[in-house]
Amino acid sequence: MRAGLSLLAALAVFLGGQLLLTRTIHGEQQRDAELQRFLALQELAAVRARVEGELNANLISVRTLRAQIALNPELETRQFERLVSELLTADLHTRHIAAAPDLVVRYIFPREGNEAALGFDYRTNAEQYQSIETAIDAGEIVINGPVELVQGGRALIGRVPVYKRADGEFWGVISVVIDHERLFRDAGLMTSQRWRIGLRGQDGKGMSGQIMLGEPALWQEEPVTVPVELPVGSWVLAAVPADGSWESPLLSYRWQWLIGSGLNMALGLMIFGLLVSRRRLQGALSTIRHQARFDSLTELPNRQYFMHQLSEAIYRARREQRRFALLFIDLDHFKEINDSLGHDAGDELLQSISERIRVTLRGQDMVGRFGGDEFVVLLHDLSDPVDAEIVAGKLLHALHPAQSIQGHDVTIDGSIGIAVYPEDGHSAGDLLKHADLAMYAAKSAGRGTSHFFNDSLRQRADSHLKLHNEIKQGLAEDQFQVYYQPIVEAASRRVVCVEALLRWQHPRRGLLGPGQFIPVAERTGVIRDLGNFVLRRGCKDLASMLASGLDIRLALNRSPREFNDRQTVMRWLEMIDDSGVARERLTFEITESVLMPDQTRQHRLLRRLNAEGVSLAIDDFGKGYSSVTYLRKFPVGQIKIDRVFVQDMNDGPEQLALVEALAKMAQALHLQVVAEGVETDEQADRLTELGCQLLQGFLFGRPMPLKELLERFAASASPGK
């Protein structure tokens, strides 16, 4: 009887354990599904950026042609064909461009194969005429399709109205026919092996539009979606797993099932009394699962679990074309300490060291213990190999301070070997082996240091670290200076603003420009200290300019690396307020990369900065992403046309039309336009005619110290002078 009750009790415990195991695995299944959605959304964001970039590249020719025709509406066939042939390059997806004065197609290039479209009157086709009316109402490019072409085939069609610049009279429309299948393929919509990707929103109608790519069933499978912004309207990208389900089958967790079921049976037969409550069962299973993955002494991932995570990191980095680093840490002279103080003291020392390593790393990185005194660190998303050397230096610095172990002050150092994916290996085993070899090289070099497996990376890292330390020393010794370049009002040629530009009076190399040290400063993080220096000095000098009678603003460059801290804006505002100058007199110049769609935190800081009174400008506009969509979404008040476009302006009508197109686009968005690199009066006059309100360049003054600026401009600005 008692044996029967014991058997029933053991069976009840086993069944309860199996039920809890099922729920635990189901929870892990749900977490894996959420991770899948996150990864799919990341890939969709990258695909969306490529689609918008490819589409904008194909539309630049239409915008340029529109500006040309507006200037010269009396167009000849040869002139049209020459203009279009120069605009269309082999890497574009444009099949042909047609121009229809008075809505009748008169010009088309290339003509071959498109003769059937010549003479076509858009008013005879209700559907096409309706899209043209939409473009005229919007005053912008309207993308339709894919549609059936008069000359055969299907393609996207972008149409934009043209008005004569002289009198504003309607001239007609320009149509660009884009090979959508090749564009989608080049943008990566058809090459993903992990996801099934779909696209809908024909004619820019978003989710209400027809499906353009992918099977209809995809939209019924709970896809993740992102919008693709068009000049007018939008498309919607969607993705689901290639195998059709976000959740992996429960049977795919076979090791969890096998281990859990075995343990449930053993626990049910041997210690069922301890598993009466559901809470104890859950705690026991959680402990067992934890012990299978983590080192019992330090609570760090063990070798088996770490190698599994390393393999996953290789898979993700290969797919996303990213770098990461593996750091192999071996403690110097640990055996002597362990033998002299005892194993208990050695264990306590290992626990203290593991905690020091853990708090030194970022939250996204991972450290594991491989046994004894060996630790391995996985640094995710490595932007540059020198970052791994910097982290290694922080780890060595964190290890060195003395610590009290059982009444003894113990000091211990480490040797660190660094291997970088993909340069130093493509498998988990190779990377670990090469990091281990690099660690022995560090020991041979004298211990207490780090060493790259790849010698060229080591030399590069040494060079960058040397410059990094020199920058920090230069800040401490006041070697840096701020120069100012005038920005004048185009109409009056009066100085209304100055741009603060950093210079370094290096003790050995002389006066250095920012290009010689800013890239390294951005990689190593010291850019924030440099940026704060320029802001403090610039605000102080601005106060001197205002006191001397100059009615002037100050423009400062901000690096994207400075927008990573939530407290950044508040510190900047405190610096400005402490100087006594009004926030409204400052403009922060940022690059177009800060406006990219995946920079959510940076976007929040930009909006906060503008709300507090500081103006924003896009520097070097035209060289980067140049998306009108993102300009409209952010509180940007000014764009600066890059000097490259200004210098090439006189090379031909195409370059001039491009500058005009950039200026007109800014005016349409109610943005102020600054033209950089102005060196001649001819350039200044022409840019003024094109609508640039502000001009900057050597014609009006090179970057100069504050004293020279005041001597040159303050006297004429003072009252009574």
Side-chain angles (χ1 to χ4, degrees), residues 333-350 412:
H333 306 299
F334 174 78
K335 186 176 185 300
E336 290 88 333
I337 296 173
N338 197 44
D339 291 343
S340 60
L341 299 182
H343 292 291
D344 289 343
D347 288 349
E348 185 178 343
L349 178 60
L350 289 173
I412 193 165

Side-chain angles (χ1 to χ4, degrees), residues 304-329:
Q304 181 180 3
Y305 183 53
F306 188 94
M307 292 301 286
H308 171 73
Q309 293 298 309
L310 178 57
S311 297
E312 289 292 314
I314 291 173
Y315 171 77
R316 290 192 297 270
R318 183 184 299 119
R319 187 185 66 242
E320 299 169 6
Q321 296 184 340
R322 294 191 177 187
R323 276 176 167 164
F324 66 82
L326 195 67
L327 277 58
F328 197 106
I329 307 172

Side-chain angles (χ1 to χ4, degrees), residues 103 286 355 485:
L103 304 184
S286 176
E355 183 60 24
Q485 185 174 29

